[in-house]
Amino acid sequence: LASELKNLYTFVPKDHADAVRQSIFEAGGGVISNYSECSFNTAGAGTFKAGAGTDPFVGKLGERHTEQEIKIEVIFPAYLEEKIVSGMKVAHPYEEVAYDIIPLANVHPGVGSGMIGELATPMTEISFLTMVKQRFNLSFLKHTPLLQKPVKRVAVCGGAGSFLISTAMAQKADVFITADITYHQFFDADNRMIIIDIGHYESEQYTINLIYEQLQLNFSSFAILKTEVNTNPVHYFSH
C-alpha cells in the first residue's frame, strides 16, 4: 500500500551516529523488503547557538557552535513512528534533537490487501470452482465466463475486493476470488481472468481462526475464547 511508509532524517555528532542508528534499527526502522538495517548517511557541519536556560551537549551558551555531524536517513512503516522517534531520542546526545519525518508515496511491499500465489499443480476451471465451493461451504458462487484454460495463479481478497481487479490482472492471476462484485464490475475481467464472487461473509469466515491463533501465540497466559455465533445477515433460499 502507498502512504504506509515514512522517512526519518536526523542529525547526530559523528561519534554518536552508530548508537542512534542502532536504536532506530532496534525500533523497527531501516527495513526494506528482506533487507534490514538500511540507512543512508551523509557527513556535514551543523551549527547552533545555545540560548538561556539550555544545557547544550557541546558548545557554549550564547556562542554559535559548529559540530561535525552525520545526517542519518532511514525508512520505516508509519505505524512505528512513535517507537522510532522515542528510540532515536533516547540514544541521541543532544538536548533538542533535530529531525524530519517525511511521508512517502512508495508502496509498502509488506502491507496490502489480498494475496496471490500458485497452485502446486494446475487444475481445470471446473475442478477449481468445485474445490472453492467445497472449501468455503458454499451453496453457490458467482463467476465470469470460463476461459477454457488451466488454473495456476490465484489471487484472493477477503471482503469487498473489486478495487483489486486490475491489480490481480496485472499480476497475471488466472482467477481472482473475492466478494461484493457488482454486475458491471464483472465485465472488468475482460476475458483475461476469472472473477469468483463467493460472498462477503463467506470470504472472511476463517479470519476469526487466524486472529485466534495469533492471540494464542502472543498471549499464552490468557484464556482465548472463540465465538461460534454466525453473524452473517445474508441467507440463501435454495429449495
Side-chain angles (χ1 to χ4, degrees):
L1 289 178
S3 304
E4 292 295 323
L5 293 172
K6 294 187 177 183
N7 215 47
L8 167 68
Y9 305 141
T10 190
F11 310 86
V12 191
K14 288 179 60 176
D15 293 342
H16 294 263
D18 285 341
V20 173
R21 264 192 305 267
Q22 185 61 33
S23 183
I24 293 172
F25 294 154
E26 290 176 357
V31 176
I32 302 177
S33 190
N34 292 325
Y35 293 85
S36 61
E37 301 193 7
C38 303
S39 70
F40 189 78
N41 304 269
T42 310
T47 65
F48 54 85
K49 183 194 293 186
T54 63
D55 183 20
F57 175 69
V58 290
K60 298 180 180 179
L61 291 177
E63 295 182 5
R64 185 172 67 207
H65 176 78
T66 299
E67 182 71 17
Q68 295 303 307
E69 296 177 332
I70 300 295
K71 178 185 179 183
I72 302 173
E73 303 181 33
V74 177
I75 198 169
F76 66 91
Y79 73 92
L80 285 178
E81 180 173 335
E82 184 176 345
K83 185 178 180 181
I84 296 284
V85 172
S86 176
M88 174 194 67
K89 288 183 175 180
V90 167
H92 206 294
Y94 285 173
E95 183 180 33
E96 294 291 340
V97 180
Y99 66 95
D100 300 317
I101 292 179
I102 312 296
L104 301 177
N106 304 50
V107 173
H108 193 319
V111 176
S113 299
M115 55 187 171
I116 191 166
E118 293 191 353
L119 301 175
T121 303
M123 301 177 66
T124 65
E125 293 166 328
I126 295 298
S127 296
F128 185 81
L129 289 173
T130 301
M131 180 185 70
V132 170
K133 187 172 180 291
Q134 293 172 344
R135 296 289 177 87
F136 286 91
N137 299 312
L138 306 175
S139 57
F140 74 94
L141 51 77
K142 297 187 292 183
H143 63 84
T144 53
L146 302 183
L147 304 177
Q148 306 307 318
K149 65 177 186 179
V151 174
K152 175 74 172 177
R153 192 165 175 81
V154 180
V156 181
C157 179
S162 61
F163 67 100
L164 288 174
I165 291 175
S166 60
T167 302
M169 285 196 293
Q171 293 293 319
K172 301 187 184 304
D174 299 313
V175 172
F176 178 35
I177 303 172
T178 188
D180 299 340
I181 302 296
T182 65
Y183 175 83
H184 290 95
Q185 287 170 337
F186 276 106
F187 284 104
D188 293 341
D190 195 28
N191 290 320
R192 296 164 53 195
M193 174 181 74
I194 299 173
I195 298 174
I196 304 176
D197 186 333
I198 64 174
H200 195 112
Y201 171 85
E202 289 78 6
S203 71
E204 295 182 336
Q205 62 184 292
Y206 300 118
T207 304
I208 189 172
N209 296 328
L210 299 175
I211 296 174
Y212 180 77
E213 290 171 4
Q214 287 300 311
L215 289 173
Q216 281 191 316
L217 182 65
N218 292 284
F219 300 94
S220 57
S221 60
F222 286 81
I224 312 298
L225 301 178
K226 183 171 62 175
T227 181
E228 299 295 335
V229 177
N230 183 335
T231 59
N232 185 11
V234 181
H235 294 260
Y236 305 99
F237 184 79
S238 58
H239 298 285

